[in-house]
Structures are given as C-alpha cells and as structure tokens.
Amino acid sequence: MSRTVLKTQQHQQLKQEDHSSLKGTLVFVMFVGAFIFVSWFAVFYLFLIRT
Amino acid sequence: MLQSNLAYKLPLTEEPAHVASKDAKLSFVHVVVAFFAFLIGILGGLLQGLARGGIIELPAWLGYYQILTAHGVLLALVFTTYLIFGFFFAGMSRTHGAFSDRLRKMGWAGFIITTIGTLMAASMIIANEASVLYTFYAPLQAHYIFYSGLALFVVGTWVAGAAIMAHYFQWKKEHPGEPTPLFGFMATATLILWVVAGLGVAATVLGQMLPWALGMTDEINVLLSRTLFWYFGHPLVYFWIMPAYMVWYLVIPKVIGGRLFSGSLARLAFILFLLFSIPVGFHHQLMEAGITEFWKYIQTVLTFVVVVPSLLTAFSIFATFEQTGREQGGKGLFSWIKKLPWGDVRFFAPFMGMLVFIPAGAGGLINASFQLNAVVHNTLWVVGHFHLTVGTTVILTFFGMAFWLIPVITGRRLTKSMNRSGMVTTWLWTIGMFLMSGAMHILGLFGAPRRTAYTTYQDHPQAMSWFEGIFASHITVAIGGVILTAAGILMFYNFIYLAWFAPKGETEFPMTPDPDDTPHTPALLENWKLWIGIAVVLILFAYTIPIYDMIVNAPPGSPAFNNLIR
Amino acid sequence: MHLHKYEKIWLTFGIGSLVLFLAVLGVAAFAFGQQPPSHMASVDSQNLEDTVFAEPGLDQINEDTYRARIVALTYGYSPDTIEIPAGSTVIFEVTSQDVVHSFTIPGTNVNMMITPGHVNMTEHTFTEPGEYLVICNEYCGTGHHYMQMKIEVTP
C-alpha cells in the first residue's frame, strides 16, 4: 500500500513539471501538422494547374 | 492545475478483473467469425491485385467484380464488425462485471441474427447474384436475399449493441454520481453512433431496395438511395476507428506501463465523434448532380470539425507515451522514446497503425476538400486512402489487440515465439501496404480509376503509363498485395495458434488505471440525452432541406438493372 | 477540463489550419466560381429521346466555346468521339440512360458523377492538342472497364 502511495506521489511530482516534460509531444504533433499542411497545399496546387 | 489529493479514487493496485467465462465464449465466437472472414477476404484481395495488374487472368467462373464485392463485404463489414463486438463483449465484462444472463442471451441473439444475415449475403455473392460491390449503388440490382441479408446484419448488430449499452447504463444506475468507466463510455458512444447511422442504411435497404428487388415497386430514387447510403457510410468509418482509438486510449497506456494522460479529453473526443461524424455524408457525393453547392459546403465544414477529436487524440496518445517514458527515466527531448516496449507486439502493431494514420488523415482531409475532390474522386487514390485508414491503422491496431484478447478469452498465454510472429506480421503488413497504398495514391493522382478490372483502354498511352511507372504502377500494387497476403495468412495462423494451441494460462486484459483527472470528470460529458439531442439537431440541419428537395423534385425513377452484374 | 499549454498551441495550429483550408476552398468556390459539379437539372432517363439529349453531340456556342451534350450508357458514351481545336472551352452536359456512371478525363479536373435522372455539368479549356481519354470511374456492370470515349484536340 505505502509503496503505491509513494509511486502516486512521484507521479504527481512529474505532473507538476509537465510544461517541460511534454516537449517531445509538441514537436511530434507539430511535425504531423506540418505534414498535413504541406500535402494539402500540394494537392490544391495540382487542382489549380489542372483548371 | 495541481493534481493533489486525488489518490483516493484511483485504483492503487490492479484489481484482478477478468472476463467472465460465459462472456468470454460470446466474445470468442465473434473473433472466430471475424478471422475466417478475414482469410477469405484477403485471398480475394490477392486475386484482385494480380488480375488488375495483368499478371494473372481470372477463370471464367470467377468475376473480378464478384471478388471485389466479396473482398469489400468480408473485410470492411464482416471482419471489422465481428471483431469490434468481440472486443466490446470482453471489455465490458472486464470493466463493468459479468453480463446478466438476460443481456448475454440478447448478445447471443444479436450474434445469431447478424450471422444469418452474413450467410445470406455471402451466398448471393458466391452465386454471382450480388456483384454490386459493398456500396450496392442502385439502379444496379442484386438478388433480394442479398438485401435481406444486409438488413438482418444491421438489425443483429443493433440487438447485440443494445445488450452492451444496457450493461453500461445498468452500471451507471448502480453508481449514481460517479464517472462511468471509460471503456463503457467509449463503447456506448460508438454504438449510439452505429445505431443512428444504421437508420440510414436500414431506410434505403428496407424502404427502397428490398421492395424494388422483390418487384413491389418498379422504380427507385437513385440519388436518395445514395444519400441514405452515405449518411451511413461515413459514420461507418468512425465505427471502425473509434474501437481502434479505444485500444490506443485504454489499452496501450497499460501495455507501456503507464496511465492515460487525460480521461476527460478522451471522453470529449468521443462525444465530438458522435456529434460530427454523421452529418457529413455529402463529402462522398461532392461530384454529383442534384445536391447544391451550398449544402455540400456546409457538410464539408462539418467534416472538418470531426478532424478536431483526432487532433486531440494525437496529442493525448503521444503525451501518454512521453509521460510514461519520462517516468521510467527517459530524459531529453526524445530519448524517452527508447523506454517504450518496441519488442512487444501488443504495443508495436498499434503503434505502426498510429504512424500510418498521419498520411491517412492528411489524405482524408484532401478527399473531403470540396472542389479539390475532383482531383482524386473515384481514383485509386481513394482506395489507397482507405487501405491506410481501415486497412492499416484499424487493422494493425486490431492485430495488436488479438495477441492479448484471444488468449484472455481462451484462457491461454501469449508465448515469446507468438510475439515474434506478430512482429513479423506487423512488418510485412506495413511494408506491403507501403508499396500497395503508396502506388495507389500516386496512380490516383494520375487519374487511374478505382473499381476497374484490368484494362488498357485500347492501349491508350495514358492508361499504359499506369503499368509502366517505376513505383507508380499496377505492378507495384500487385507486389504489395502479395506481401500483404503473406502477412494476412501469417496473422490467420497466429489466430489459430492463440485460439486453440497456445499453452494454457492466465493472460492480462490490459486496461489503463484511471487517469489522474477522473474525479474531475465534468458531469456534462455523461449527459447522453443532451449529446444525442445535439447529434439529431445537427443531422436534421445538414440533411432536411437537401433530402426534401431530392424527394419533392425527384426525376422519374430508375428501373432495375440486374442483368449487368452477371 | 484541463488543457496542457502545449495542447493549446497544437489545437490552435490545427484548428487554424482547418479554418484556413476552408477559407481557401470557400473563396475559390464562391468568389471565383470553382465549384464542384452540382447541376440541378433533371431528365427522364428512360425517355431521353424526348429531351435535349435526343441527339447528343457538339454545338459551337461562340468562337472558342462549345457545348458537348453526351449520354453515358453501358458501356460507352454517345457520341464516342468529339473533335475541337486547341484553345477551346467545352461545356460538358452529361446524363445517363441507365445506371450510375462517371465522366472523367484523367489528368484534368473533369471528374463528375453521372446519375440517371440528373444532368451534370462542368467545363474545361483544352490548351494542349492531343487525344484525350475519357473514362468511367464508377462501377457500372461487368463491362465497366471497357467504357471510354475520345476527345480529339487538333492544333
């Protein structure tokens, strides 16, 4: 029991510094966003030159 | 927000929850049907790829469009639906306790009705009386037994779905004021979506196609039937995706030794799917006459809204990975990635599915982009697209799931060698799909049509070029198809082994501990009446005027064309 | 409900992109007329001989604009060839006499569904001479893959 409580506390400490600890996630999702952005405009360009 | 004083609600240790054995049996029969349908479906896919590439010629008794119908129905409808219900029955038993005898009987009734429907539809496809593809667009007409089978299939899933939802609401009633377990919440959102969407296909099959196929009516309103089909057809893809998301949200965090990042955001994502994945069917009909630009644009906007819950999901899932990796000692911007269990198929297969969802999602946005749809509509691009979404993201997630779900419900163990076999399956599937879907996307941009047997259009240079590209070629598609078939057969072997031959033992049904924010779940999110009400309002808004117009200003209907499909 | 700071950044970017896409599409469509084919006229598909589609073919509207009235059928188009000089703009008005087809010129934005009972419409300017392939990309029966016609664009 006490060990699990300790674990939960550690867990919470980590949560408190969460602004720095999700940097990898931000980089990753922004990469996803950039990919979507570029592919969308690539096909839009294709549409324009085929008109 | 500081997460203080929350520990009291969080399960401190994993309770030894399991799937009740009677529920396990119900789950198991669903999984068995799913994988047998899968095997036949992928063999159909192999023949198509080879025939379309001009590598083999089909025997006279086997039509290309007949196989294409079987491939679509067996994989997109039968395999997915059965596996989803198998997952739901086991998961509900695990998280909400055993089903009552009454509800379990209802589940069995649903299974039997669905299976009778499946066999009726399948027999007509085998008899070449229903080569209308899995979208069965009128006025091509299949045998009435095919339509009756489809209707029974849908009704059977409603009965089984009602059993699952009743089990969830029973729990909710017995625990007033508590946030409901995430598994039940998400399964219920998925099933409500399925029932509401199914009304569209039920309306066209029972109200239009069956009377017409039985000769009770002479003509059919083609545009209305297409519209009702796509009212169902788009939420259908979310019916595949949402259970895959449930694996990502609820199972994967446990497999990697962590805990879901946020429960409220997970619930919010599922509510948004429920609200916005139905009033969007026109984005499949952007190129057709009889629907005004205005209503097409409205539904395009609503389609873009349904991207938002996927944006939320992308963040939540990777935040869960990062948080877990850091808790296990990972440092720096990316080195926490090394802490993830890359050798565990229960993680790795769904992870590859997630990666594939990036190009799949980007492609989906392009498809739905109003006039941009002209570039890709009904080309091989679209086929490439949904072989990424349902054919890779969903399927790889379900593969990963099979490696724990089957041992859980058969009382067996996942062995090391089976895990390795699963890793090989995952790699083969990914590589095969890269070749097949990649080539399909590019061929589609060049204009190569979908759903078309081998043809060179009298050796027209443009059509010939679709066979001659280095990568963008029907030959690449066929090679990818062969690799995928190898992966599929291996997966079928994995299934057989796990179901009947793996060593007996206890296997964990991985389920994330409740997220830290569980006690703060906004009660509003659990207000089903409200969400169903809003969903109905959105549907009425997006569809009432165009459908009224289709009925009131309908051109003379179309007679039956049943000689063209044989 | 708590949103992490980075999640706010991500959602702002993501939703912002969606709004931008919709704005670009909306402006191109409603201000510059690049609409998806959505013609609202209807016909009786079983009695096309009583309609303007009784004699499908090409009409010259002015110096470089033509109207092509075309009937899609299993498995072909009527007429099966049209010829125009390069630089011409062709307004295609297409309907079906039987099942659902499409009228698609690969490599261009001409790609529309042809549902029986409806007339669909789009236009295209053919700047390059050559033989353009027109195909049906909606399954219409066992001979679907043979369905095609030609547009000859002469220099």
Side-chain angles (χ1 to χ4, degrees):
Chain A
M1 175 84 180
S2 64
R3 222 179 50 195
T4 16
V5 168
L6 195 76
K7 228 176 153 183
T8 319
Q9 279 168 355
Q10 276 176 354
H11 186 74
Q12 281 163 18
Q13 273 169 10
L14 278 159
K15 290 271 322 185
Q16 285 166 23
E17 48 177 1
D18 61 3
H19 282 212
S20 58
S21 69
L22 289 182
K23 258 197 184 122
T25 301
L26 180 69
V27 171
F28 177 81
V29 290
M30 291 310 277
F31 163 77
V32 172
F35 179 84
I36 292 174
F37 203 84
V38 169
S39 17
W40 193 89
F41 275 100
V43 176
F44 184 70
Y45 173 74
L46 202 57
F47 176 82
L48 288 183
I49 58 169
R50 284 179 175 185
T51 301
Chain B
M1 186 182 74
L2 277 179
Q3 310 276 336
S4 57
N5 196 22
L6 300 184
Y8 77 103
K9 274 279 187 195
L10 304 175
L12 295 174
T13 49
E14 185 64 28
E15 74 241 63
H18 63 280
V19 180
S21 64
K22 284 182 175 172
D23 298 336
K25 202 176 279 170
L26 178 56
S27 167
F28 184 60
V29 291
H30 282 92
V31 174
V32 170
V33 175
F35 273 99
F36 277 92
F38 172 76
L39 181 69
I40 306 169
I42 56 157
L43 293 175
L46 173 71
L47 291 178
Q48 271 161 247
L50 294 175
R52 171 99 197 236
I55 296 166
I56 61 163
E57 221 171 294
L58 293 174
W61 49 269
L62 195 59
Y64 179 84
Y65 300 106
Q66 185 183 8
I67 309 176
L68 187 52
T69 307
H71 178 74
V73 169
L74 288 174
L75 290 179
L77 297 177
V78 179
F79 169 70
T80 49
T81 305
Y82 276 88
L83 206 55
I84 288 165
F85 275 94
F87 175 44
F88 281 7
F89 277 115
M92 288 303 289
S93 185
R94 157 75 169 76
T95 54
H96 291 61
F99 279 79
S100 68
D101 285 345
R102 192 177 64 86
L103 289 181
R104 194 181 309 107
K105 267 188 198 138
M106 213 166 136
W108 276 103
F111 171 78
I112 291 165
I113 299 169
T114 309
T115 306
I116 293 172
T118 305
L119 293 174
M120 284 165 70
S123 65
M124 288 300 106
I125 297 171
I126 293 167
N128 199 21
E129 293 285 340
S131 298
V132 288
L133 311 190
Y134 86 108
T135 44
F136 51 92
Y137 290 140
L140 287 176
Q141 190 189 63
H143 197 282
Y144 69 86
I145 294 178
F146 177 75
Y147 298 120
S148 314
L150 289 179
L152 282 182
F153 181 91
V154 171
V155 170
T157 60
W158 286 353
V159 174
I164 292 167
M165 287 191 277
H167 195 44
Y168 167 78
F169 283 107
Q170 184 74 28
W171 191 101
K172 196 170 191 288
K173 210 168 130 194
E174 285 165 5
H175 301 78
E178 281 181 50
T180 52
L182 275 167
F183 190 97
F185 181 93
M186 292 172 147
T188 299
T190 309
L191 289 168
I192 292 174
L193 173 90
W194 176 249
V195 171
V196 177
L199 294 172
V201 75
T204 183
V205 169
L206 295 176
Q208 292 189 283
M209 293 185 173
L210 204 50
W212 175 64
L214 286 167
M216 291 152 64
T217 51
D218 296 330
E219 293 177 342
I220 191 165
N221 183 334
V222 171
L223 184 59
L224 180 64
S225 74
R226 293 170 65 81
T227 302
L228 290 170
F229 179 83
W230 283 115
Y231 163 93
F232 157 80
H234 197 73
L236 170 66
V237 312
Y238 283 94
F239 175 68
W240 302 328
I241 285 284
M242 286 161 78
Y245 276 14
M246 286 169 69
V247 174
W248 299 2
Y249 273 115
L250 305 179
V251 174
I252 298 296
K254 184 66 203 295
V255 171
I256 65 174
R259 169 192 300 267
L260 174 63
F261 175 66
S262 162
S264 298
L265 286 175
R267 286 176 211 260
L268 176 68
F270 270 60
I271 291 297
L272 290 174
F273 282 130
L274 174 60
L275 296 184
F276 290 99
S277 68
I278 303 174
V280 297
F282 282 170
H283 76 239
H284 293 260
Q285 301 175 279
L286 290 169
M287 294 297 119
E288 72 197 60
I291 306 167
T292 61
E293 293 91 345
F294 175 78
W295 289 106
K296 286 178 180 174
Y297 190 75
I298 292 283
Q299 294 209 7
T300 299
V301 173
L302 291 168
T303 308
F304 276 49
V305 177
V306 82
V307 177
V308 174
S310 286
L311 299 180
L312 282 171
T313 302
F315 193 92
S316 291
I317 300 299
F318 277 84
T320 304
F321 290 170
E322 181 159 9
Q323 217 170 48
T324 308
R326 288 188 189 282
E327 277 178 26
Q328 291 168 0
K331 299 252 177 328
L333 190 55
F334 285 125
S335 60
W336 50 269
I337 293 173
K338 287 188 218 130
K339 299 285 174 186
L340 297 171
W342 294 105
D344 185 341
V345 68
R346 300 172 307 159
F347 166 74
F348 183 68
F351 179 84
M352 292 308 260
M354 294 171 194
L355 278 194
V356 167
F357 208 52
I358 300 166
L365 264 173
I366 291 164
N367 297 339
S369 288
F370 205 48
Q371 69 273 46
L372 234 61
N373 183 249
V375 179
V376 295
H377 179 73
N378 269 358
T379 68
L380 270 180
W381 163 287
V382 177
V383 189
H385 165 70
F386 65 71
H387 278 86
L388 292 186
T389 52
V390 65
T392 308
T393 300
V394 172
I395 275 208
L396 282 183
T397 301
F398 287 177
F399 282 2
M401 173 174 90
F403 286 92
W404 54 261
L405 179 64
I406 299 172
V408 162
I409 57 183
T410 56
R412 294 174 191 276
R413 277 192 300 112
L414 169 60
T415 59
K416 270 214 170 88
S417 66
M418 212 9 65
N419 184 67
R420 209 174 312 130
S421 176
M423 296 293 289
V424 174
T425 308
T426 307
W427 275 114
L428 280 177
W429 193 273
T430 309
I431 293 164
M433 196 56 84
F434 171 77
L435 294 173
M436 189 180 91
S437 174
M440 282 175 163
H441 273 90
I442 302 172
L443 284 169
L445 290 178
F446 291 151
R450 72 184 283 199
R451 300 180 147 181
T452 302
Y454 173 76
T455 175
T456 57
Y457 293 106
Q458 299 176 356
D459 292 345
H460 191 281
Q462 201 168 6
M464 296 298 278
S465 73
W466 300 331
F467 291 87
E468 290 158 357
I470 295 168
F471 179 77
S473 157
H474 285 306
I475 309 296
T476 317
V477 173
I479 294 170
V482 171
I483 299 172
L484 283 164
T485 310
I489 291 171
L490 185 55
M491 188 61 213
F492 186 75
Y493 162 77
N494 298 339
F495 151 71
I496 295 285
Y497 183 83
L498 288 169
W500 288 291
F501 299 104
K504 292 266 177 194
E506 277 281 311
T507 295
E508 177 204 14
F509 187 129
M511 181 59 55
T512 176
D514 282 345
D516 293 335
D517 64 353
T518 303
H520 301 288
T521 304
L524 188 68
L525 283 172
E526 305 248 348
N527 190 340
W528 291 102
K529 282 186 191 132
L530 173 72
W531 301 122
I532 294 172
I534 296 176
V536 170
V537 168
L538 282 167
I539 291 167
L540 291 177
F541 163 66
Y543 273 114
T544 306
I545 293 174
I547 286 189
Y548 174 82
D549 189 49
M550 280 171 209
I551 295 170
V552 173
N553 296 320
S558 287
F561 291 90
N562 51 16
N563 53 331
L564 299 176
I565 59 169
R566 294 194 195 105
Chain C
M1 217 169 337
H2 170 66
L3 275 186
H4 189 280
K5 190 175 102 189
Y6 291 162
E7 181 146 27
K8 285 181 189 151
I9 297 174
W10 161 237
L11 285 179
T12 308
F13 174 80
I15 295 171
S17 302
L18 295 176
V19 171
L20 176 70
F21 296 160
L22 284 171
V24 169
L25 297 172
V27 169
F30 293 97
F32 293 93
Q34 290 176 339
Q35 296 278 13
S38 314
H39 201 48
M40 298 302 283
S42 59
V43 289
D44 182 351
S45 63
Q46 295 177 69
N47 293 297
L48 289 182
E49 59 276 12
D50 301 334
T51 69
V52 293
F53 288 94
E55 283 173 42
L58 195 67
D59 299 313
Q60 189 158 13
I61 296 175
N62 62 36
E63 199 185 334
D64 49 9
T65 310
Y66 295 80
R67 178 178 54 218
R69 286 210 171 104
I70 293 168
V71 176
L73 51 118
T74 49
Y75 302 102
Y77 299 89
S78 171
D80 64 359
T81 309
I82 57 172
E83 198 179 308
I84 43 153
S88 308
T89 298
V90 184
I91 300 164
F92 295 101
E93 289 181 17
V94 190
T95 192
S96 165
Q97 72 172 40
D98 40 50
V99 297
V100 180
H101 299 282
S102 92
F103 183 86
T104 302
I105 309 176
T108 72
N109 290 337
V110 177
N111 185 8
M112 57 179 176
M113 301 302 298
I114 312 301
T115 39
H118 298 269
V119 179
N120 215 353
M121 222 172 109
T122 190
E123 61 174 66
H124 187 72
T125 304
F126 295 85
T127 47
E128 295 292 318
E131 184 191 290
Y132 287 74
L133 176 66
V134 179
I135 60 172
C136 169
N137 67 15
E138 181 57 86
Y139 170 63
C140 57
T142 48
H144 158 61
H145 46 291
Y146 300 118
M147 186 163 167
Q148 67 180 96
M149 69 171 277
K150 270 183 254 173
I151 299 173
E152 303 273 6
V153 180
T154 54

